Amino acid sequence: MTTLSDPPSQSFQFSKLINDTRYRSYTFQFIALLCVIALMSYLGWNLVQNLRAAGLNISYGFLGSPAGYDINQRLIEYDSQSTHWRAAMVGVLNTLLVAFLGCITATVIGVFVGVLRLSKNWLVRKIMSLYVEIFRNVPVLIWILVIMAIFIAVLPQPRDFRGDDATASMLGGLFAFTGRGFYLPRPYFTAEWAAGGAGWLVVIGVLIASFFGSRKLSAWASKTQEATGVRPTTWYLTLGIWFVPLLIVLLAQGLHWEIPALAGFNFQGGIFARNSLIALWFALSIYTAAFIAENVRAGILAISKGQTEAAASLGLRPNRIMNLVILPQALRVIIPPLISQYLNLTKNSSLAIAVGYMDLTGTLGGITLNQTGRAIECVLLLMLFYLTISLAISAIMNAYNNAVKLKER
Amino acid sequence: MTEKASLAFVRDTMLPEQPPPASETGIIKWVRANLFPDVLNSILTIVALYLIIKIVVGAWPWFANGMWATSSLAECREILQGTTGACFSVLTERWNQLLFGFTYPNDQYWRPILAFVLLAFAAAPMLFAMFLPRKLLLFTALYPFIAFWLIWGGTVLTPLFALLGFVAAATVFPRVEKASGFASALGAAVVTAAIVWYVGGLIAGTTPNLIALEPVPSRDMGGFMLNFILGTVCVSLSLPLGILLALGRQSNMPIIKWICVVFIEFIRGVPLITLLFVANVVLAYFLPPGTNFDLILRVIIMITMFSSAYIAEVIRGGLAALPKGQYEAADSLGLDYAQAMRLIIMPQALKISIPGIVNVAVGLFKDTTLVSVISMFDLVGMIRGPILASTEWNGVYWELWGFAILLFFPVCYGISQYSQWLERQLATDHR
């Protein structure tokens, strides 16, 4: 029987590991680690057993063998003799293409709707709420399939453009919107030295130079404003910096447009965007726009009315209030959820497989997986790709949040 | 008197009140203020009205001429003779496939319907906890076992012993906890439950026909019912998992914290469809050779993992929003970690995170349609597969997709309206 006067025994007791708060957390962590290692090795052991039973092994060699299937929408050269790796790259670029296009249009529509939901006009406000609620509360997969069905049903087929009594005609003789997809004019360069991609690299270089030029110009305008109190008028200079070099480069390289034309039962030439791409892009845009509209509305409402009134009492005009006081504060609220919506859009673009758009899920996770039977490798690569994109976007978001967060001292 | 006399006229009675001008009252004022306040808004109103009228006028004959009793699209077209009109008969003919899938036994439809009705009674005590007596929560606790028995069938002993296992664990837990602490009580409870389940499994195996409903294998589930089952099962399973993950992520034990962080960020970084691919083609490689898991069970595992990561992030937000004083107060009362979490932290953190959890639930319910991509026949899978591919109904798009939207919209809209209402109810800061 121990009494209170007994000194605590210094010797190690097993029960200390669980009862002494100094050691308990180590015990728990050790147990947790053991459990995770046990689970992993159990799964790994099963994997080895199953692979041996099926006569398989983990190998990425299949990526180098010919894919043997066609991809009808692609940004880089590809044919059925190309490798599976090349097919996966086509898929990656297709995913990035639809995600990029979708983010832009979703932002535009979302901001527009979000602002209109705060409009004074009752009817407009109600219509916009209806749009937001309907699109937010129905699965995106259903919207993708519905919009695909609408495209096929409503738009004319290429054969409707034929003959003297054609029921459909090209918009301005340049664009053809058909149920199979959109045919758009394709710009190309005739100059010898601009063949291949070189011409476009020059154009991108010029645009980057123009961007820095206009930054420099506005810095100079701000400096003059601080020195003299008057901001020099620069809008025509900005326009000039953006457009004059671009025009010169385009003309010097011999810009021509290849216009799609009806040949036989289909259009030839120009850029062809398949209906699956257009439907997916459109569906993802309007679905995500409904969420973005809510974020924009919340962001604007989050700025208290006192801010507007304080700015007005300083004598600022309404558009200056918007630009200098409301927007910078609202953007801090809007942008983090906006970026996570971009992330959602990118992840939702994997639903492309439902309409047959060949994104990464369709190539690597679809046909390649089924042809080669390399399920583990394909799904692993697929996850790795999406994980990389997600982590990259999260990193950008964290950097932005740190840059704009309230600097409290 | 003198003052009055010196003036020409002084009014000594009040004039009767005049009604306000017609332009400042009632409907006219409302229309002017809300529809035609200025030129730009007037144009917007007129354009919007024009569009609405055009849509209604365009869609009306389609509804009005709708066919409800034909047996194929060709027959619809024959009767309509080229006029516009919907072919709603696909819904009257195939409603059972849309709602229950095409292999669930027809004479057993009352079971999922009863389970669905009971779900309302089981959910009510939780959703409207402030208005209903707490005793009703007992039914909520019993519901999963009743629903399992109703939907999957088999002997009543299976869910009964599952329930008994939980009851035994719940009776053992507080006794052991009093004697020797939380961790050993948890261990004792798990062991007790496992023993009851094992014995129960043996007994249920020997008498499969005792008070038995016709068993329905899970591959026979389909249609909207499958979406509903996946949604409710995965959300309920992912709540406890999400709480554990959130606590793990907030914990100050680095190894546990990093295990949780890696799990959550990994799951949140990949699209659900890749996880469904895992369930479909990869998961079998990681199970012991010879085991043949049901596809629906594999899908439930992956969707539960998916949603628990999202719920963990919502609850972590709730935990982070609690003032530090709450943690310190719990410590100063001498509560240990389990007690502090159960009695002080979690009730408050969960209250803050309810709206977020509901949003995750709505998103998850919508995402259950993705299972159609791995060729399961949920509502979307039924429409895309057996119905649109059949010779009778090939080409009926609007009616079917409209029906799907009509099924999903009220559920999701209702849940999100509930969460907004709850947010207002729980707002204790008087603004």
Side-chain angles (χ1 to χ4, degrees):
Chain A
M1 179 97 192
T2 53
T3 60
L4 279 176
S5 57
D6 281 348
S9 62
Q10 291 300 311
S11 66
F12 177 80
Q13 289 166 333
F14 188 68
S15 62
K16 267 190 175 178
L17 282 180
I18 190 97
N19 288 333
D20 191 325
T21 46
R22 283 173 296 177
Y23 308 121
R24 187 158 54 183
S25 72
Y26 294 108
T27 318
F28 281 156
Q29 292 188 56
F30 184 68
I31 294 173
L33 196 64
L34 276 188
C35 285
V36 170
I37 291 174
L39 183 70
M40 289 289 162
S41 32
Y42 173 69
L43 295 178
W45 173 246
N46 283 338
L47 177 66
V48 171
Q49 294 284 314
N50 282 319
L51 286 178
R52 192 178 298 153
L56 288 168
N57 57 345
I58 298 279
S59 142
Y60 289 91
F62 72 96
L63 287 172
S65 53
Y69 59 90
D70 262 322
I71 299 179
N72 45 32
Q73 177 84 53
R74 53 180 183 257
L75 291 174
I76 51 175
E77 282 308 311
Y78 173 87
D79 59 50
S80 58
Q81 289 312 303
S82 305
T83 59
H84 282 297
W85 176 250
R86 186 84 177 165
M89 282 301 112
V90 174
V92 167
L93 288 176
N94 278 346
T95 297
L96 294 178
L97 172 73
V98 75
F100 177 73
L101 292 174
C103 287
I104 292 175
T105 41
T107 314
V108 172
I109 302 172
V111 170
F112 185 71
V113 173
V115 171
L116 279 187
R117 277 200 79 180
L118 295 170
S119 145
K120 275 188 292 187
N121 192 316
W122 179 84
L123 194 63
V124 171
R125 216 161 55 214
K126 288 293 160 196
I127 291 176
M128 291 306 154
S129 320
L130 190 71
Y131 158 74
V132 168
E133 293 301 347
I134 285 187
F135 276 87
R136 280 198 325 162
N137 287 313
V138 173
V140 62
L141 181 60
I142 291 187
W143 286 126
I144 293 175
L145 293 167
V146 167
I147 287 171
M148 186 72 179
I150 293 180
F151 266 114
I152 293 176
V154 170
L155 290 175
Q157 288 300 311
R159 63 166 181 275
D160 296 333
F161 290 80
R162 252 164 18 104
D164 296 327
D165 53 346
T167 48
S169 62
M170 292 175 76
L171 184 70
L174 300 174
F175 305 93
F177 302 114
T178 74
R180 266 185 219 173
F182 292 179
Y183 296 86
L184 318 166
R186 183 173 70 88
Y188 66 99
F189 297 122
T190 46
E192 290 273 323
W193 45 275
W200 292 109
L201 285 181
V202 173
V203 170
I204 291 170
V206 167
L207 282 177
I208 292 174
S210 301
F211 172 72
F212 284 110
S214 65
R215 286 262 307 251
K216 203 108 192 174
L217 181 72
S218 94
W220 167 79
S222 300
K223 214 171 163 187
T224 319
Q225 184 181 20
E226 275 173 24
T228 63
V230 180
R231 193 179 181 85
T233 319
T234 55
W235 62 267
Y236 53 89
L237 286 176
T238 315
L239 275 186
I241 287 179
W242 277 105
F243 285 101
V244 173
L246 186 65
L247 275 179
I248 292 172
V249 167
L250 289 180
L251 290 179
Q253 299 190 102
L255 178 73
H256 279 72
W257 294 87
E258 186 187 63
I259 302 199
L262 204 54
F265 287 96
N266 213 337
F267 283 93
Q268 295 293 328
I271 297 175
F272 175 46
R274 285 190 75 82
N275 51 9
S276 51
L277 167 64
I278 304 285
L280 183 71
W281 171 24
F282 192 61
L284 288 176
S285 303
I286 53 177
Y287 178 79
T288 313
F291 290 85
I292 292 180
E294 282 299 272
N295 295 336
V296 168
R297 188 173 75 107
I300 294 176
L301 286 180
I303 308 307
S304 74
K305 216 169 156 52
Q307 296 288 325
T308 318
E309 292 166 353
S313 71
L314 286 176
L316 290 179
R317 278 176 278 119
N319 62 340
R320 306 278 286 170
I321 295 179
M322 200 39 138
N323 285 335
L324 298 176
V325 179
I326 304 298
L327 270 189
Q329 297 186 73
L331 281 183
R332 183 184 292 140
V333 183
I334 293 171
I335 289 198
L338 188 68
I339 294 178
S340 72
Q341 290 304 335
Y342 290 164
L343 199 52
N344 282 343
L345 192 149
T346 312
K347 285 193 276 176
N348 281 338
S349 74
S350 58
L351 293 178
I353 198 167
V355 286
Y357 175 65
M358 298 304 267
D359 75 333
L360 187 65
T361 318
T363 55
L364 186 68
I367 302 180
T368 296
L369 191 157
N370 288 333
Q371 273 189 3
T372 60
R374 298 265 173 204
I376 300 171
E377 295 91 333
C378 286
V379 173
L380 210 62
L381 283 178
L382 198 59
M383 287 181 153
L384 207 63
F385 167 74
Y386 283 107
L387 208 58
T388 315
I389 290 189
S390 299
L391 293 180
I393 293 182
S394 307
I396 294 171
M397 183 156 82
N398 287 340
Y400 173 84
N401 278 344
N402 284 333
V404 302
K405 78 173 172 205
L406 283 176
K407 309 272 191 302
E408 290 181 45
R409 294 186 179 87
Chain B
M1 210 54 180
T2 51
E3 205 181 331
K4 200 168 186 181
S6 67
L7 296 170
F9 174 75
V10 172
R11 188 182 292 284
D12 52 9
T13 53
M14 286 287 279
L15 277 174
E17 272 180 23
Q18 297 277 323
S23 63
E24 284 301 314
T25 57
I27 189 140
I28 296 175
K29 160 129 197 260
W30 185 88
V31 166
R32 276 183 59 158
N34 289 299
L35 297 181
F36 302 100
D38 50 46
V39 178
L40 184 69
N41 272 307
S42 306
I43 296 173
L44 269 179
T45 305
I46 290 167
V47 170
L49 273 178
Y50 173 76
L51 288 178
I52 292 174
I53 291 171
K54 194 147 170 76
I55 289 172
V56 169
V57 167
W60 175 247
W62 188 76
F63 276 108
N65 297 341
M67 295 283 130
W68 290 90
T70 54
S71 61
S72 72
L73 182 63
E75 203 183 325
C76 274
R77 291 204 172 127
E78 203 173 303
I79 296 174
L80 285 167
Q81 298 282 350
T83 53
T84 45
C87 193
F88 293 117
S89 14
V90 65
L91 304 180
T92 50
E93 203 206 57
R94 298 291 177 106
W95 65 272
N96 48 354
Q97 294 193 356
L98 289 167
L99 293 181
F100 302 103
F102 61 128
T103 40
Y104 203 90
N106 287 18
D107 53 341
Q108 305 291 323
Y109 284 162
W110 63 271
R111 282 158 47 182
I113 292 174
L114 181 63
F116 177 72
V117 171
L118 288 180
L119 176 67
F121 288 100
M126 234 171 13
L127 300 182
F128 303 101
M130 56 286 267
F131 302 127
L132 294 169
R134 284 178 69 88
K135 274 191 187 146
L136 288 178
L137 280 173
L138 196 64
F139 180 67
T140 312
L142 290 178
Y143 178 75
F145 306 100
I146 301 174
F148 173 84
W149 186 52
L150 280 176
I151 292 176
W152 274 272
T155 168
V156 75
L157 289 178
T158 318
L160 201 64
F161 277 110
L163 177 64
L164 275 182
F166 280 108
V167 172
T171 39
V172 165
F173 179 79
R175 279 156 215 211
V176 183
E177 194 193 16
K178 225 172 238 171
S180 56
F182 181 79
S184 39
L186 201 64
V190 170
V191 170
T192 318
I195 293 171
V196 174
W197 285 333
Y198 181 71
V199 174
L202 290 183
I203 297 175
T206 53
T207 54
N209 291 320
L210 186 74
I211 324 179
L213 290 170
E214 182 189 335
V216 181
S218 29
R219 62 174 175 278
D220 284 355
M221 316 274 160
F224 194 56
M225 182 179 74
L226 180 61
N227 293 113
F228 226 92
I229 294 177
L230 286 178
T232 39
V233 169
C234 295
V235 169
S236 355
L237 288 182
S238 60
L239 256 178
L241 258 180
I243 293 176
L244 287 184
L245 282 171
L247 286 177
R249 195 170 179 170
Q250 288 291 83
S251 118
N252 44 20
M253 299 185 234
I255 294 179
I256 291 185
K257 182 176 173 178
W258 281 106
I259 293 171
C260 292
V261 167
V262 167
F263 178 83
I264 292 174
E265 291 304 325
F266 174 73
I267 297 283
R268 275 160 41 95
V270 298
L272 178 57
I273 204 162
T274 58
L275 293 177
L276 291 178
F277 280 159
V278 169
N280 195 17
V281 290
V282 178
L283 204 57
Y285 283 109
F286 289 99
L287 297 171
T291 42
N292 197 8
F293 255 37
D294 210 29
L295 178 60
I296 211 174
L297 199 58
R298 283 180 276 161
V299 165
I300 285 179
I301 292 175
M302 294 320 282
I303 299 185
T304 305
M305 279 166 65
F306 179 77
S307 60
S308 62
Y310 282 81
I311 286 183
E313 281 300 275
V314 171
I315 294 177
R316 186 172 73 106
L319 287 173
L322 277 193
K324 214 168 168 234
Q326 297 292 329
Y327 293 86
E328 293 166 353
D331 284 346
S332 72
L333 285 175
L335 301 180
D336 65 17
Y337 179 79
Q339 287 170 325
M341 287 300 145
R342 253 187 319 166
L343 302 173
I344 311 267
I345 306 299
M346 267 303 147
Q348 301 184 69
L350 284 182
K351 183 177 132 182
I352 303 176
S353 28
I354 284 175
I357 293 175
V358 173
N359 280 344
V360 173
V362 172
L364 184 80
F365 180 53
K366 289 190 292 176
D367 281 347
T368 54
T369 52
L370 264 61
V371 297
S372 65
V373 175
I374 55 166
S375 57
M376 285 172 79
F377 293 107
D378 74 321
L379 180 61
V380 174
M382 282 309 295
I383 294 178
R384 292 181 66 199
I387 296 183
L388 277 180
S390 67
T391 45
E392 296 96 341
W393 302 114
N394 187 1
V396 191
Y397 290 104
W398 311 104
E399 296 82 353
L400 288 169
W401 292 126
F403 183 65
I405 291 172
L406 269 185
L407 283 179
F408 271 99
F409 181 76
V411 179
C412 297
Y413 184 70
I415 304 177
S416 69
Q417 288 305 102
Y418 165 77
S419 107
Q420 285 177 19
W421 173 82
L422 194 68
E423 215 169 333
R424 284 195 298 276
Q425 292 285 311
L426 295 178
T428 41
D429 53 335
H430 301 284
R431 282 214 278 184

